[in-house]
Amino acid sequence: MNDDSSIVRLAATLREEAGRLRPGDRLPSSRELMRLYNVSPVTVSRALGQLAAEGRVVIRPGSGTYVAPAVTRTGDTADLSWQTVALGDRVVDDTEVTGLLTPPPDGVIPLTGGYLNPALRPSKALSAAASRALRRPDVWELPPLAGIPELRRWFAQEVGGDVTPSDALIVSGGQSALTHAFRALAAPGTPVLVETPAYPGALASARAAGLRATAVPMDRDGVRPELLAEAFAVTGARVFLCQPTLHNPTGATLPLERREQVLAIARAAGAFVIEDDYARYFTVAPAPPPMIALDAHGVVVHINSLTKVLSPNMRVAGVIARGPAARRLRASQVVESFFVSRPLQETALEFVGSPAWRRHLTALSAELTVRRDALAAALTAQMPAAEIHLVPRGGLHLWVRLPPDRDEETVVEAARRAGVLVSSGRIYYPAEPPGPRIRVTHSAAVHLPELAEGVRRLAAALDDL
């Protein structure tokens, strides 16, 4: 149950419990609350959110919910509860995304996260590119709203086919691109199809746009075309989000034949395909061409971001689209944020146009291969009861199935107490997960010894349960 009365009752119960505890004491986990009070995850999330808004608890993603420190106020305390009614029942839940972005505490090894460890980033070369960019005479001038022409040309050339610079739009990173695409292509309240499992940031963005994420199953080669066609027919959806190359979290890469099938199915359904090509620079083996290069009918909206491959602060991405969809995307960009900072665009252009870009990709590919193999070998040797979904042709993660008798949240919490962070599998599913899974990342650790120690701690935590 997740109606308003259920939320109110659970919030009242937790309010009383928090009152009996001391500041800093931990409340039961979300899973425990669901079991104890027979409520849904949405009910738990909203009840805890209400208490957090009241200042009674502090939610720490990946750690838990704690009683807030006592605050001494002078005068009357403002009653902000009226906002609950004014805001309505739409929820923008950043819990899972914030958890993935939060740095680990000292002494804790991160086997989670979506960005490269600082040691793997080309920081000196980026600084040099920024210095050159800032010396350009027009760097502080207003940029073209769709992006500086040279950078749009570069993004168009990266995907090939008959894409032109006029098809490209520069936005503030891949997450922003997803948000623009969802808002531009689908009306609030309508369904959007997603691979399952799916990137949590995309799920959060779709929900914030008022869309209903509907799962389409995958296998080791990516989304299953026959089930995609069925999902379009059953739901009437007009948008399908996919990551065809090194899918997050499974690592699957969609073969050329399936890419062509997906395009044909979407075109027959009169639907768009949002191609999140986030991992195009993380491949260590040749991948099929992006779907935008195979698309002659304006079906695909393609996203290519520089953030993950360079730095969390390089919030520059190219969105490629055609026709009325492209015009709507550009309008969305202007209405929401006008344009991307010109100094940042110029820095990106300086870097990708320099020899440092290719050197970085070559070195990164070699390092990621070593890390992937080391992680896979350590998991196989130390956690034989777990199963790696597949060893991908690159990427940053491995998708691991835990023994069916293990509780996923308990494993993640035990690992945290043992000093290692992993991603809970449930956050990757728009509906009920099929079983206990975790995502393990090899790109966030400082070096191979730390990666090995992280797996040792994870295995010990699993064995102790």
Side-chain angles (χ1 to χ4, degrees):
M1 56 183 175
N2 59 8
D3 52 64
D4 290 346
S5 61
S6 301
I7 298 169
V8 170
R9 287 197 298 271
L10 180 59
T13 301
L14 296 180
R15 195 178 289 113
E16 292 179 4
E17 182 170 352
R20 292 192 295 268
L21 298 174
R22 296 171 301 176
D25 284 350
R26 189 174 184 272
L27 270 66
S29 69
S30 295
R31 181 177 290 274
E32 291 172 317
L33 293 174
M34 290 163 55
R35 179 180 57 81
L36 287 171
Y37 300 104
N38 191 29
V39 294
S40 73
V42 174
T43 297
V44 172
S45 176
R46 293 185 182 180
L48 291 176
Q50 185 170 325
L51 266 63
E54 295 171 5
R56 298 176 185 273
V57 300
V58 176
I59 300 174
R60 298 173 185 166
S63 176
T65 302
Y66 298 83
V67 177
V71 178
T72 303
R73 300 181 185 272
T74 58
D76 294 334
T77 301
D79 180 6
L80 304 180
S81 61
W82 66 270
Q83 292 187 2
T84 302
V85 177
L87 290 171
D89 60 0
R90 185 172 67 89
V91 174
V92 179
D93 187 356
D94 68 341
T95 305
E96 313 302 355
V97 178
T98 301
L100 293 173
L101 296 174
T102 302
D106 291 342
V108 176
I109 297 175
L111 297 185
T112 187
Y115 295 118
L116 300 175
N117 183 276
L120 301 179
R121 302 172 195 161
S123 299
K124 290 183 179 179
L126 280 173
S127 295
S131 296
R132 295 193 302 271
L134 291 176
R135 289 195 295 268
R136 294 187 175 190
D138 57 351
V139 67
W140 295 110
E141 296 297 322
L142 182 75
L145 298 183
I148 57 178
E150 298 86 353
L151 189 57
R152 294 170 69 192
R153 182 177 300 110
W154 182 84
F155 275 109
Q157 292 171 346
E158 283 295 283
V159 297
D162 60 355
V163 173
T164 68
S166 63
D167 299 326
L169 170 69
I170 307 302
V171 301
S172 298
Q175 187 67 21
S176 177
L178 288 171
T179 299
H180 283 308
F182 283 137
R183 291 178 178 173
L185 303 179
T190 60
V192 58
L193 304 183
V194 298
E195 300 157 312
T196 185
Y199 166 52
L203 296 177
S205 180
R207 290 167 182 150
L211 305 177
R212 293 181 284 111
T214 301
V216 183
M218 304 174 62
D219 59 21
R220 292 173 185 268
D221 287 324
V223 68
R224 294 172 56 184
E226 76 281 8
L227 296 181
L228 176 63
E230 181 180 351
F232 272 127
V234 170
T235 65
R238 290 293 181 266
V239 176
F240 169 53
L241 169 70
C242 69
Q243 294 177 328
T245 301
L246 296 173
H247 170 265
N248 178 15
T250 68
T253 292
L254 203 64
L256 177 59
E257 181 181 5
R258 283 203 187 182
R259 295 182 186 222
E260 293 171 338
Q261 290 176 314
V262 167
L263 289 178
I265 290 167
R267 188 184 177 204
F272 292 100
V273 174
I274 302 175
E275 181 182 21
D276 183 8
D277 203 9
Y278 86 100
R280 66 178 290 110
Y281 303 118
F282 297 136
T283 57
V284 296
M291 289 195 288
I292 186 70
L294 307 173
D295 174 31
H297 304 285
V299 169
V300 177
V301 173
H302 179 271
I303 298 171
N304 176 16
S305 174
L306 294 175
T307 306
K308 289 187 182 298
V309 72
L310 294 181
S311 164
N313 292 301
M314 181 52 73
R315 306 215 63 79
V316 173
V319 179
I320 295 173
R322 298 162 178 165
R327 289 192 287 274
R328 186 177 290 186
L329 280 160
R330 292 189 179 96
S332 174
Q333 157 90 347
V334 172
V335 169
E336 181 169 300
S337 56
F338 294 171
F339 52 83
V340 176
S341 161
R342 183 159 194 157
L344 191 58
Q345 291 190 61
E346 298 282 6
T347 298
L349 183 62
E350 280 284 349
F351 186 84
V352 298
S354 72
W357 168 241
R358 290 298 163 189
R359 287 199 301 267
H360 171 60
L361 293 185
T362 299
L364 183 62
S365 177
E367 177 66 17
L368 292 182
T369 300
V370 171
R371 286 171 174 250
R372 177 204 61 190
D373 293 346
L375 178 59
L379 290 171
T380 300
Q382 299 188 50
M383 295 173 53
E387 179 185 351
I388 299 173
H389 177 71
L390 61 85
V391 177
R393 298 182 291 182
L396 309 176
H397 324 286
L398 294 180
W399 186 234
V400 179
R401 183 169 64 186
L402 299 174
D405 60 339
R406 301 300 171 91
D407 178 79
E408 176 185 300
E409 292 299 321
T410 303
V411 171
V412 171
E413 175 63 18
R416 185 193 64 80
R417 291 196 301 269
V420 59
L421 299 181
V422 296
S423 295
S424 171
R426 66 169 181 80
I427 68 175
Y428 297 86
Y429 289 93
E432 291 298 323
R437 285 164 173 75
I438 56 173
R439 192 194 70 170
V440 187
T441 300
H442 58 69
S443 59
V446 177
H447 41 51
L448 289 178
E450 184 177 69
L451 186 64
E453 173 61 16
V455 175
R456 188 198 66 77
R457 295 181 186 182
L458 175 60
L462 185 64
D463 288 342
D464 288 344
L465 294 176

